[in-house]
Amino acid sequence: MRAGGPLLMVASAATWAAGLVLTKVALDVTGAAPGSALVVQLVASVGVLAVACAATGAGLAGAWRHGWVGLLEPGISYQFALAGLALTSATNASVLGSLEPVLVPLIAWALLRQRPRPRLLVVIAAATVGSALVSFSAGGGNGSWAGDGLIFAGVVAAALYVVVASKQVVAVEPLPAALTQQVWALGFVIACQFVLAGPLLSATPGQLLLIAAAGVLNYALPFWLYLTALTRMPVARAATYLTLIPVFGVLGAVLVLGERLTWLDFVGGALVVGSLVADARSAPAKDDVAEARR
């Protein structure tokens, strides 16, 4: 794959948002419990990643012991996120996810001593303001405090995953890393289902296919793209591109779920995209690669 880090992050954000919207559709259509749907989604994602590893000859040696970070995301993060998504709107979920780029540089600064550059802080601030504008425009979201709280808890776990995973891509290739992380996560959610006595999924073959497709979009593709991007750019800068998730998410919610689009969506989206374009045009690529491999 020859594309640069920014392009990979845009593709990752787009597939993440598409997976979020499709998951909302799948939960609404099937009435499935979030936990049981998550098991099906991760099984589908692990299957796709396993086939990709076999097709490309990617080795898994050494990847399993690093895969525990998958307990944070998709494990804990998506366990909370799916439960929250069943209670709140796809728009609210997408917007709350925009807080992740703010948390990531702070955690990276605390744990990895990677102090963000002033220019990057400006980009993060501008992109976050854009995401907030999109959030305030979500009048037709039909959200709930409980659902939003669960989504936010998932965002915190996801931000911690981003920082830890950024150090592991130095030792493990992105594709084996994505596969082993999600196998760990699958074991975690199955254990949660057993401990919490979650209901078994009852669905038609068509509904199972819908849930599985949402899983591939929500896990296999974005994690693979994201981990590949981390080999080409610093974690704090990569996290900035996650602000695109609510932009793509709102567009998907409008097109698929019929939620409303307001002028604040346009202003906020333009601010996010403009900030990222300015960052991509001004960032020194060689420095980014060097910093990403530290």
Side-chain angles (χ1 to χ4, degrees):
M1 192 177 294
R2 296 181 179 279
L7 185 57
L8 289 167
M9 283 305 304
V10 171
S12 178
T15 52
W16 243 318
L20 185 65
V21 173
L22 193 58
T23 296
K24 178 65 175 175
V25 172
L27 291 176
D28 289 345
V29 169
T30 65
S36 57
L38 179 57
V39 172
V40 175
Q41 289 187 317
L42 280 176
V43 167
S45 179
V46 165
V48 168
L49 290 171
V51 169
C53 279
T56 60
L60 299 178
W64 292 107
R65 65 187 177 91
H66 295 287
W68 65 267
V69 71
L71 295 176
L72 292 172
E73 190 181 29
I76 295 173
S77 174
Y78 278 76
Q79 190 76 40
F80 283 136
L82 269 180
L85 192 58
L87 300 175
T88 192
S89 69
T91 300
N92 280 25
S94 295
V95 169
L96 285 169
S98 69
L99 296 176
E100 186 176 343
V102 179
L103 297 176
V104 169
L106 297 178
I107 295 175
W109 192 354
L111 297 184
L112 307 180
R113 300 185 183 279
Q114 291 183 357
R115 185 173 183 172
R117 298 172 180 173
R119 176 177 54 81
L120 182 59
L121 290 176
V122 172
V123 171
I124 292 172
T128 303
V129 169
S131 294
L133 290 176
V134 176
S135 174
F136 293 146
S137 73
N142 299 320
S144 76
W145 286 105
D148 291 350
L150 287 168
I151 293 289
F152 180 72
V155 170
V156 174
L160 188 56
Y161 160 84
V162 167
V163 175
V164 177
S166 70
K167 302 305 295 180
Q168 294 188 350
V169 293
V170 177
V172 184
E173 291 295 319
L175 187 53
L179 173 59
T180 54
Q181 288 171 10
Q182 294 190 21
V183 170
W184 275 77
L186 178 59
F188 173 77
V189 298
I190 289 176
C192 287
Q193 281 291 95
F194 180 77
V195 171
L196 300 176
L200 296 176
L201 180 63
S202 176
T204 66
Q207 291 173 337
L208 281 175
L209 186 60
L210 175 62
I211 296 173
V216 173
L217 272 179
N218 218 10
Y219 304 103
L221 294 178
F223 277 88
W224 184 3
L225 292 166
Y226 177 73
L227 290 171
T228 304
L230 283 182
T231 65
R232 308 183 184 196
M233 61 198 307
V235 61
R237 185 165 175 241
T240 305
Y241 285 78
L242 298 178
T243 56
L244 284 171
I245 293 177
V247 177
F248 287 127
V250 168
L251 288 176
V254 169
L255 295 174
V256 178
L257 304 179
E259 295 184 6
R260 293 177 297 176
L261 190 64
T262 71
W263 66 271
L264 282 177
D265 293 319
F266 288 104
V267 175
L271 190 54
V272 170
V273 174
S275 300
L276 296 178
V277 169
D279 175 64
R281 296 185 65 177
S282 62
K286 292 181 178 180
D287 290 350
D288 280 353
V289 172
E291 191 172 345
R293 291 176 176 173
R294 284 179 188 174

